[in-house]
Amino acid sequence: MKERIELNAEALRMRRKMGVDASSPIDVFSLVEHSEHLTLVFVPMGQRFSGMCVKAGSQGLIAVNSRMSYGRQRLAVAHELYHLHHADPCGRRVCLLDLDEGDDLEQEANTFASFLLAPYDALHDFITHRLQKGQEPLTVDDVVRIEQYFGFSRRGMLRRLTEEGLITAPPEEVLHVDMVEQAARLGFDSRLYSPAESNRTYYTLGYYIRMAEDLRYRDLITPGKYEELMLAAFRADRVFGTEGDGPPDD
């Protein structure tokens, strides 16, 4: 199993490859959308699963469980990016919601995802300079400020802070706090702790959409085929001009 320092370095390399600096918060969804051959799909999954990825040649697909909170979805996308760059021989992988479950590769992907969202130096600089913390322990409010800045789920943030010895309070104590109320009290948006908007329960972004649009533009497919492709990708808005939601009818 790879060391944390190696996974942090890999996360920094991926940031550079995607045109992101080593310290800023990132919009991981936008990075995937703009990746040349990547498709991102939001779809409800069973309660044990966070997402999956499939790789075929130069093309990749990431599917995310849209029932999860926005913060957990961000972590899942970063997790799947690691798998796409360390693809299984079968070219696909299904990943679990519980961050403590899974084999060594799953744990590597979890650690990589954490570093991709918040590289080691970026996290420590934020705590030292933005929160102005020295040796004193982090408070619950500090945890909220960190997870809001870097876009983490609560469990993902606690796992990271615990692994690096930055939090001394039992994780359960912080988990039992009303996250939405706590964030609101500090002036933050609460969307990090809730699932995505209802019209993103079923949704597709990225390469698949661009290719279908290009085929239509070049008259290489019929209007009917274009509509079929878009409806299969849960993009009724591209067919009917409205924000569709839900799987295509059988």
Side-chain angles (χ1 to χ4, degrees):
M1 187 170 174
K2 294 180 181 177
E3 297 293 331
R4 293 173 62 82
I5 189 171
E6 184 178 356
L7 293 166
N8 183 62
E10 287 195 33
L12 289 173
R13 283 195 292 272
M14 182 170 287
R15 276 178 164 248
R16 287 194 295 270
K17 181 179 179 180
M18 293 182 163
V20 182
D21 64 42
S23 59
S24 300
I26 61 172
D27 182 348
V28 70
F29 300 114
S30 180
L31 292 178
V32 171
E33 287 175 52
H34 289 89
S35 295
E36 187 175 359
H37 294 113
L38 269 180
T39 298
L40 176 61
V41 180
F42 297 90
V43 63
M45 298 181 185
Q47 62 181 4
R48 292 190 63 237
F49 303 105
S50 64
M52 65 172 292
C53 63
V54 179
K55 187 170 185 179
S58 64
Q59 298 181 34
L61 179 144
I62 291 174
V64 174
N65 186 350
S66 59
R67 291 194 172 101
M68 300 187 300
S69 69
Y70 179 73
R72 187 64 182 83
Q73 289 180 25
R74 283 172 48 82
L75 200 61
V77 171
H79 177 111
E80 300 303 340
L81 283 171
Y82 183 79
H83 285 314
L84 285 177
H85 286 80
H86 301 80
D88 287 356
C90 64
R92 64 181 181 275
R93 186 145 184 128
V94 179
C95 301
L96 300 173
L97 180 63
D98 191 330
L99 295 172
D100 295 323
E101 289 190 57
D103 57 18
D104 284 353
L105 187 58
E106 281 297 286
Q107 297 310 312
E108 287 181 5
N110 286 334
T111 302
F112 169 87
S114 180
F115 284 133
L116 185 66
L117 296 186
Y120 180 88
D121 287 340
L123 174 62
H124 286 261
D125 285 348
F126 182 86
I127 292 171
T128 301
H129 299 115
R130 294 288 290 272
L131 298 183
Q132 297 185 334
K133 290 286 183 175
Q135 298 300 316
E136 63 269 35
L138 296 176
T139 66
V140 176
D141 285 358
D142 291 331
V143 173
V144 174
R145 290 186 172 96
I146 298 168
E147 67 196 12
Q148 284 283 337
Y149 184 78
F150 290 107
F152 266 73
S153 66
R154 173 59 55 86
R155 287 186 181 274
M157 190 77 265
L158 290 177
R159 187 176 195 265
R160 172 69 177 277
L161 294 174
T162 301
E163 287 173 344
E164 298 193 11
L166 294 170
I167 189 169
T168 55
E172 293 78 10
E173 177 182 328
V174 187
L175 279 171
H176 291 158
V177 174
D178 185 330
M179 293 180 286
V180 172
E181 173 59 28
Q182 189 182 30
R185 180 174 57 80
L186 293 173
F188 294 113
D189 194 312
S190 63
R191 73 167 181 158
L192 196 64
Y193 313 107
S194 304
E197 300 88 348
S198 61
N199 60 4
R200 293 295 179 97
T201 304
Y202 293 88
Y203 209 71
T204 300
L205 295 165
Y207 180 71
Y208 177 99
I209 302 301
R210 289 194 298 274
M211 291 302 98
E213 293 286 358
D214 182 61
L215 291 172
R216 180 182 70 161
Y217 177 78
R218 292 191 290 150
D219 289 327
L220 295 177
I221 56 175
T222 65
K225 185 62 177 180
Y226 168 79
E227 292 178 0
E228 177 186 333
L229 292 173
M230 285 298 169
L231 291 175
F234 319 127
R235 292 300 302 269
D237 58 305
R238 301 301 303 156
V239 177
F240 305 115
T242 58
E243 286 290 339
D245 182 28
D249 294 332
D250 292 332

